Amino acid sequence: MKHPFEYEIIYSNRKTLAVQITPDGTVKVRAPRRCPNSTIDHFLQEKQSWILKYVSKAKQNPLSEKPPLPPSERNRYIKIARDIFTQKTAYYAGIMHVTYGRISIREQKTRWGSCSSEGNLNYNWRLIFAPEEVLDYIVVHELAHRREMNHSKAFYAVVESVLPEYKKAQKWLRDNGRSLWTVV
């Protein structure tokens, strides 16, 4: 089936299909290893209007290329992020009655945070330029994976039990997250 956009398929050990629009408007489909092309085509057909909307948005607002940060400045931001996320994670883990492993501060291009099955947490240091409620949401989101390792209704019920207005932070990230790449 022909789609009105080019896309790249990335196969991995994942269990579900996902689509990602990169900041430059490239469409990437992440798929389980043995996923049939017909399933991928159907998935892309269902998501077509969403994909076209975000491809258009990315192409209208291209990220301006900035020179890379000097290592000393980048390390300073990483240290600030480590302090913030260490405190917030300990605070919310206590409220949520969950444990976690180590905390890593990274600069992932496609994620704001992640939680491994061992409970290790990764946070993107660029979040330090987002509003406080967005940082809280990312921490609670990752800690909720200690209860539900998925994005089911049960998972979002855990998030909502701690942050009833979490959807505002989600919307902020959707609408403004790209700007965190141009702050510094």
Side-chain angles (χ1 to χ4, degrees):
M1 177 182 293
K2 183 73 176 142
H3 298 283
F5 48 83
E6 298 287 319
Y7 61 93
E8 172 188 0
I9 302 174
I10 301 165
Y11 293 99
S12 68
N13 290 331
R14 65 182 298 124
K15 292 183 171 79
T16 60
L17 281 168
V19 67
Q20 168 196 1
I21 313 300
T22 64
D24 68 356
T26 303
V27 178
K28 294 185 179 189
V29 179
R30 300 188 183 277
R33 288 205 190 281
R34 291 189 174 92
C35 187
N37 283 341
S38 60
T39 303
I40 294 171
D41 280 338
H42 181 71
F43 175 76
L44 290 173
Q45 191 66 39
E46 283 181 349
K47 304 288 181 195
Q48 183 170 305
S49 62
W50 181 90
I51 292 167
L52 290 173
K53 173 183 170 185
Y54 283 95
V55 166
S56 172
K57 215 178 204 186
K59 295 199 183 219
Q60 286 173 6
N61 303 311
L63 288 175
S64 59
E65 286 296 316
K66 291 184 132 194
L69 281 176
S72 61
E73 193 173 345
R74 187 173 182 277
N75 290 339
R76 185 172 65 85
Y77 289 129
I78 288 171
K79 183 184 178 334
I80 291 167
R82 183 175 313 288
D83 292 344
I84 290 169
F85 285 114
T86 298
Q87 289 175 15
K88 285 186 175 295
T89 301
Y91 173 76
Y92 282 111
I95 290 172
M96 297 170 74
H97 306 291
V98 295
T99 60
Y100 57 93
R102 68 176 159 65
I103 295 174
S104 296
I105 306 300
R106 301 201 175 153
E107 188 174 20
Q108 307 99 311
K109 296 286 184 213
T110 60
R111 298 179 162 202
W112 297 118
S114 63
C115 176
S116 73
S117 56
E118 295 83 34
N120 295 324
L121 304 172
N122 296 311
Y123 298 111
N124 192 316
W125 69 263
R126 289 187 173 273
L127 283 165
I128 64 175
F129 300 109
E132 191 83 17
E133 54 273 10
V134 172
L135 275 71
D136 292 338
Y137 165 66
I138 293 296
V139 170
V140 170
H141 180 108
E142 298 314 330
L143 288 172
H145 283 306
R146 299 298 291 139
R147 294 247 182 89
E148 298 282 337
M149 275 305 272
N150 53 50
H151 289 113
S152 64
K153 286 184 181 182
F155 168 84
Y156 282 105
V158 172
V159 173
E160 190 171 30
S161 72
V162 180
L163 296 175
E165 296 192 8
Y166 76 92
K167 288 183 180 177
K168 288 181 182 177
Q170 273 185 331
K171 181 175 178 359
W172 190 94
L173 273 174
R174 224 178 6 261
D175 295 347
N176 304 291
R178 293 179 78 235
S179 69
L180 299 178
W181 290 95
T182 59
V183 174
V184 292

